[in-house]
Amino acid sequence: AVLGKFNASNASNNLVARVTSRFNTGWQTGDIRRCFLSDTEVGALRAANVIQNGDFTSNTAWTLTSGATIADGKVSFDLSVNAGPSISQTITGQTAGAFYRLRFTVSDLQGALPAFFIRFGDGNNQVSQYNPGAGVYEFLIYKGSSSDVFNFIIAGGNTTTRMAISNLTLEVAVTDRSY
């Protein structure tokens, strides 16, 4: 396609741009304060969620230790039952050595603030947060081995500690295509 802008009063200000299936124009005229780059690749900007039942509508797909319970769309952790309650899930077909974007919401904090540790693959690659507040968390996590186990572990705090998470998603981090 050919795009053009004709300026009758000043012919030197005429503009022409050619667009094909292999590139976009980059044509930026006028007020371009919110100009975004684009590409010609077809596909989602976000990958699919690889976690099963991350909305915690049931116990399906999760292995829970004592002190972890799933109800009302969240998993609750109670450190009075177990000093390190956790949930885990085997997620097959994912690439070792790749980065994944992890998102979840923390709520229902009570008692002493805990820490959480999240692993995907071997235990040498984890993300952690000490003394979390309520809110949405997002991390990049590296899947460091051929192990397919995803773990979410709560520790620290004391026997008064309670915490819940919901809306858990894990997606392959989409490669930056801007260069």
Side-chain angles (χ1 to χ4, degrees), residues 119-126 145 147 151:
R119 298 180 184 131
F120 187 27
D122 63 42
N124 295 324
N125 298 291
Q126 70 180 13
S145 74
S147 171
N151 291 292

Side-chain angles (χ1 to χ4, degrees), residues 81-97:
V81 176
N82 180 352
S86 67
I87 59 172
S88 63
Q89 183 176 125
T90 299
I91 306 170
T92 59
Q94 303 309 306
T95 306

Side-chain angles (χ1 to χ4, degrees), residues 50 91-96 100 143 148 172:
V50 299
I91 306 170
T92 59
Q94 303 309 306
T95 306
Y100 292 78
K143 184 177 186 292
D148 292 326
V172 175

Side-chain angles (χ1 to χ4, degrees), residues 123-135:
N124 295 324
N125 298 291
Q126 70 180 13
V127 295
S128 58
Q129 177 72 43
Y130 293 84
N131 303 318

